[in-house]
Amino acid sequence: QVQLVESGGGLVQPGGSLRLSCAASGSIFGTMGWYRQGPGKERELVATIATSGSTNYAGSVKGRFTISRDNAKNTVYLQMNSLTPEDTALYYCIARVLSTAANVWGQGTQVTVSS
């Protein structure tokens, strides 16, 4: 069974940092990444990382967030620094199953940036 399990969300003050993790299991995965959905907003891309390590970031997080992965552990990370209230959202992990080219999603982890 293909499964993504996210962790690391929480409440943080503006300017603070958080590190999200997403452990994937049940298949072999290609590109992995993170999306987020803020209150009253549509889901948006945050960052992706290919198996090669090539990365892609949304302009709003470039320079503040860093995506990385451990292929041996099928785990993707999102290091978030200099957080602002605008980063408050439910953060979803996404991974592409290589055998089917289907995307699978995690259940989401809440990040709240507030003083």
Side-chain angles (χ1 to χ4, degrees):
Q1 179 181 358
V2 176
Q3 188 175 17
L4 303 181
V5 178
E6 299 125 329
S7 60
L11 173 64
V12 64
Q13 292 187 343
S17 299
L18 279 176
R19 188 191 193 211
L20 306 184
S21 299
C22 172
S25 61
S27 189
I28 300 174
F29 301 92
T31 297
M32 301 179 73
W34 295 90
Y35 279 69
R36 67 185 181 185
Q37 187 166 14
K41 299 180 181 179
E42 294 186 354
R43 192 175 298 190
E44 62 176 359
L45 171 73
V46 177
T48 61
I49 184 167
T51 53
S52 65
S54 177
T55 59
N56 178 51
Y57 294 93
S60 59
V61 308
K62 199 170 293 185
R64 300 187 298 123
F65 291 11
T66 301
I67 190 169
S68 60
R69 67 187 289 168
D70 184 334
N71 290 330
K73 295 181 179 180
N74 271 340
T75 299
V76 62
Y77 306 96
L78 186 68
Q79 177 67 43
M80 305 185 293
N81 299 327
S82 302
L83 286 162
T84 74
E86 288 68 38
D87 295 314
T88 294
L90 191 59
Y91 283 71
Y92 295 92
C93 178
I94 183 172
R96 174 154 293 188
V97 177
L98 284 181
S99 61
T100 63
N103 289 324
V104 292
W105 294 85
Q107 79 285 357
T109 185
Q110 179 67 39
V111 172
T112 302
V113 184
S114 175
S115 55

